[in-house]
Amino acid sequence: MISSILVLGSGSAGLLAAISLKLKIPQLKVTVVRSPEIGTIGVGEGTTPNFPRHLFDYLKISRKHFYAMAEPTWKLGIRFLWGPRGRFDYTFSKQLDAHWSDLPRPNGFYCNEEFRSVDLPSALMAEDMGWARQANGAPDIQGWHGFHIENKKLIDVLEVVAAQVGVEIVDGKVNGHERGEAGIKAVILEDGRRLEADFFVDSSGFRSELLGKALEEPFVSFDKTLFCDRAVVGGWDRGADEPILPYTTAETMNAGWSWQIEHEFHVNRGYVYASGAISDDQACEEFLARNPKAPKSPRVVKFRSGHYRRMWVDNVVAIGNAGGFVEPLEATALMVVCSEVQTLIDLLQHCALQPTPTMRTLFNKVMNRTWEEIRDFLALHYYTNTQRDTPFWRQCRSDTDVSGIGDLLEFYKENGPTGFCRHMLPHSDTDFGIEGYLVMLVGNQVAYQGRHHAAPAERSLWNQRRDGFQQQAKAGMGIKEALQFIRHPGWKWNGDA
Ligand SMILES: Cc1cc2nc3c(=O)[nH]c(=O)nc-3n(C[C@H](O)[C@H](O)[C@H](O)COP(=O)(O)OP(=O)(O)OC[C@H]3O[C@@H](n4cnc5c(N)ncnc54)[C@H](O)[C@@H]3O)c2cc1C
């Protein structure tokens, strides 16, 4: 029976895993080992809604304390500067997987020409507003948001929470391990200390010290689908004239795409590109030409997309970059971390801390499905983006492997943006669901047969509804004003104890 767990790494993945394990299974002794010399990755700053849900609903961490320490801003979705329209907004709500009962067709059929302000979140994004106002003037903060949050601030807060809940943190660099019957018996630190545990969580980032190096689990590459393998990263302090936008921007570049993430006092920019299509120097040059305020020598981060064939081997589970990684086009890393952690905890609870081989197999099956779904979803972003005609984008349109969603694409081309497309997905366990695919297809104006030509009365009803959302959004409030509200001493969060 597992009674002690050692988590290797104190990046956001390791700390989230340690805190969650200790809070949900308090009898466990949970220790984190981290190397201040190696440090953490220092990027990873946009989330999906499952991240705040994990913190506040699953772990019951106090919103008031978290907001005060981590200073996140709200992310309502992603603005894609993408495709023939030049721009469309992907929210965390249901813009297209929806059907008004007084209109004959689902929403997507009305968005051929204009795809804006289909619901309140997309209207708020269109107006650069954070939240609608309640009758008393306060922001109406809803669950359909993720966060923009600085990696360092997040880690600082998680370290405080970890100490509060009884996780022990040990400084030291792991440079060896001892094998035992169950798998790994102990890790050995550079200074000779030996740390034993019944179970190990490998959250050592791209180094994957236990799963990749010690257990030599093979890596499944996504390089047939996702061609990017590097990012240039650099940001600047926000000027007084730069509004805090309520969304991440994802902008098409010559050999990839660029993100903009909105922190309260900082703007974070990065350019994800394919080293096969452009050199690091060219990428930096293109990035700096687009972002004159960025530092003149931006940092280059290398990565590979894919995941280890099994993320749970013997008594080791990898969580975070140590288990798998894809570029942050949909900011999925922390989403996967939360989902891995919850699945692991569920399984450990169901087997009374005595995992069976079939439990491990099940975990690996569920996690592989998640990675494959994310891979296919990102592939669709590349495959359908016709905005630029560079060699990289031509290669994306012709060579991206979209065989995982072949049935969906065929069905869509014959039937258009109907919610029935969901049955053509191999599986859907993530935050995106069919909504994400429909937004990409409609946003990129992918052609389908039998386009709907709305009668004037129908069109007028559709537009009236959009006008209503627009009016509500225009009367809303920006992120700065909403942050002032939640910092008022009288502000109370629903759900906080
Ligand atoms: C360019 C880029 C952009 C990204 N953007 C996003 C985003 O917008 N949203 C998102 O969700 N994610 C994003 N990510 C991913 C995100 O950064 C990570 O998934 C997340 O921060 C978790 O990282 P981690 O904890 O797995 O690894 P790390 O932060 O690298 O932490 C690894 C830990 O292991 C320790 N360690 C390693 N080896 C040893 C050793 N031998 N001994 C002791 N300790 C050791 C390190 O000291 C560190 O504490 C991005 C990643 C990249 C590369």
Side-chain angles (χ1 to χ4, degrees):
M1 186 187 291
I2 298 170
S3 62
S4 59
I5 296 195
L6 187 139
V7 178
L8 173 50
S10 74
S12 41
L15 290 168
L16 277 168
I19 293 167
S20 308
L21 283 159
K22 186 69 193 166
L23 277 173
K24 292 289 171 180
I25 317 180
Q27 70 269 34
L28 286 174
K29 175 178 185 292
V30 181
T31 308
V32 172
V33 191
R34 61 157 183 212
S35 161
E37 180 197 324
I38 295 172
T40 55
I41 189 161
V43 279
E45 317 212 305
T47 83
T48 64
N50 91 330
F51 181 74
R53 282 201 300 265
H54 185 88
L55 295 181
F56 308 132
D57 300 337
Y58 182 71
L59 297 180
K60 310 276 183 233
I61 288 175
S62 148
R63 285 177 177 82
K64 192 153 195 101
H65 290 147
F66 186 83
Y67 273 87
M69 291 174 76
E71 299 183 321
T73 64
W74 296 283
K75 168 181 170 186
L76 303 189
I78 303 173
R79 169 155 300 168
F80 281 96
L81 305 181
W82 218 260
R85 296 175 194 271
R87 153 188 160 180
F88 59 90
D89 291 340
Y90 174 30
T91 60
F92 297 124
S93 56
K94 289 197 174 181
Q95 296 187 78
L96 301 184
D97 184 17
H99 185 166
W100 291 102
S101 55
D102 49 2
L103 286 171
R105 307 294 291 271
N107 287 5
F109 288 92
Y110 300 94
C111 300
N112 293 323
E113 281 77 36
E114 194 168 3
F115 177 26
R116 278 188 199 192
S117 304
V118 170
D119 61 1
L120 180 61
S122 55
L124 287 165
M125 273 178 74
E127 303 298 329
D128 289 348
M129 289 292 186
W131 299 110
R133 263 174 224 275
Q134 299 183 49
N136 64 3
D140 189 10
I141 299 175
Q142 297 283 337
W144 26 257
H145 71 82
F147 280 146
H148 288 142
I149 189 164
E150 291 181 49
N151 184 262
K152 181 168 179 330
K153 284 188 185 167
L154 173 61
I155 288 172
D156 288 349
V157 175
L158 293 177
E159 277 178 4
V160 171
V161 177
Q164 280 168 353
V165 302
V167 170
E168 189 194 355
I169 299 189
V170 175
D171 283 344
K173 188 170 170 188
V174 171
N175 72 351
H177 64 277
E178 234 173 66
R179 299 294 285 260
E181 249 174 58
I184 302 281
K185 188 156 189 231
V187 292
I188 314 296
L189 304 189
E190 214 170 39
D191 60 12
R193 276 176 293 165
R194 179 179 172 281
L195 301 176
E196 212 172 281
D198 302 325
F199 194 81
F200 292 81
V201 172
D202 185 355
S203 287
S204 59
F206 291 144
R207 301 164 74 99
S208 195
E209 296 280 3
L210 300 180
L211 185 72
K213 285 193 194 145
L215 298 176
E216 298 180 343
E217 182 65 10
F219 190 79
V220 179
S221 169
F222 288 164
D223 61 358
K224 298 279 178 293
T225 320
L226 301 172
F227 306 134
C228 290
D229 55 1
R230 288 189 192 185
V232 180
V233 184
W236 58 88
D237 289 339
R238 180 181 295 287
D241 57 334
E242 291 178 287
I244 307 175
L245 301 173
Y247 47 80
T248 300
T249 305
E251 176 178 5
T252 308
M253 301 283 276
N254 285 339
W257 63 278
S258 174
W259 76 71
Q260 176 160 322
I261 285 185
E262 308 284 338
H263 302 302
E264 189 174 0
F265 304 110
H266 195 75
V267 178
N268 183 325
R269 275 292 233 168
Y271 175 12
V272 173
Y273 59 98
S275 62
I278 196 174
S279 69
D280 292 348
D281 287 347
Q282 287 169 316
C284 288
E285 206 176 299
E286 193 188 344
F287 177 74
L288 290 172
R290 185 74 190 84
N291 300 290
K293 289 188 185 169
K296 295 300 162 234
S297 315
R299 173 181 164 206
V300 174
V301 182
K302 295 182 184 171
F303 60 82
R304 59 178 178 171
S305 289
H307 61 91
Y308 285 91
R309 193 179 57 187
R310 295 170 299 170
M311 269 148 283
W312 185 343
V313 177
D314 299 335
N315 63 344
V316 175
V317 162
I319 290 185
N321 294 350
F325 178 79
V326 294
E327 61 190 82
L329 186 49
E330 285 285 346
T332 40
L334 291 170
M335 176 187 91
V336 176
V337 166
C338 296
S339 136
E340 281 170 334
V341 166
Q342 290 190 21
T343 309
L344 174 65
I345 288 171
D346 275 355
L347 292 183
L348 290 179
Q349 285 175 330
H350 281 231
C351 66
L353 296 173
Q354 298 179 74
T356 55
T358 45
M359 279 284 190
R360 285 200 290 267
T361 307
L362 181 73
F363 180 88
N364 289 326
K365 190 172 165 185
V366 171
M367 286 308 140
N368 287 359
R369 256 189 359 210
T370 298
W371 281 116
E372 282 158 19
E373 188 188 345
I374 294 172
R375 176 201 63 196
D376 290 344
F377 185 41
L378 297 194
L380 188 63
H381 293 56
Y382 282 102
Y383 182 68
T384 53
N385 184 7
T386 52
Q387 194 176 94
R388 286 199 192 189
D389 202 27
T390 59
F392 170 81
W393 283 103
R394 282 199 292 277
Q395 187 201 1
C396 290
R397 293 190 283 271
S398 63
D399 297 353
T400 301
D401 180 0
V402 284
S403 53
I405 46 169
D407 289 348
L408 169 70
L409 293 176
E410 195 188 333
F411 186 84
Y412 182 84
K413 282 177 187 161
E414 276 196 1
N415 301 287
T418 135
F420 283 111
C421 288
R422 82 182 71 252
H423 301 292
M424 297 297 136
L425 280 181
H427 37 72
S428 182
D429 295 334
T430 65
D431 267 4
F432 312 117
I434 194 59
E435 172 71 23
Y437 291 86
L438 291 177
V439 169
M440 263 314 122
L441 291 161
V442 170
N444 284 304
Q445 292 184 311
V446 174
Y448 59 87
Q449 290 167 27
R451 276 181 46 165
H452 180 59
H453 298 285
E458 206 183 320
R459 176 62 61 193
S460 143
L461 195 56
W462 172 256
N463 283 334
Q464 263 174 33
R465 210 150 266 155
R466 290 176 58 235
D467 286 347
F469 293 129
Q470 268 166 0
Q471 294 316 318
Q472 217 185 331
K474 280 191 189 358
M477 70 177 69
I479 299 283
K480 274 190 188 169
E481 190 185 345
L483 287 173
Q484 297 311 317
F485 263 95
I486 63 155
R487 287 177 183 155
H488 188 278
W491 177 264
K492 284 209 170 49
W493 286 103
N494 281 339
D496 262 5

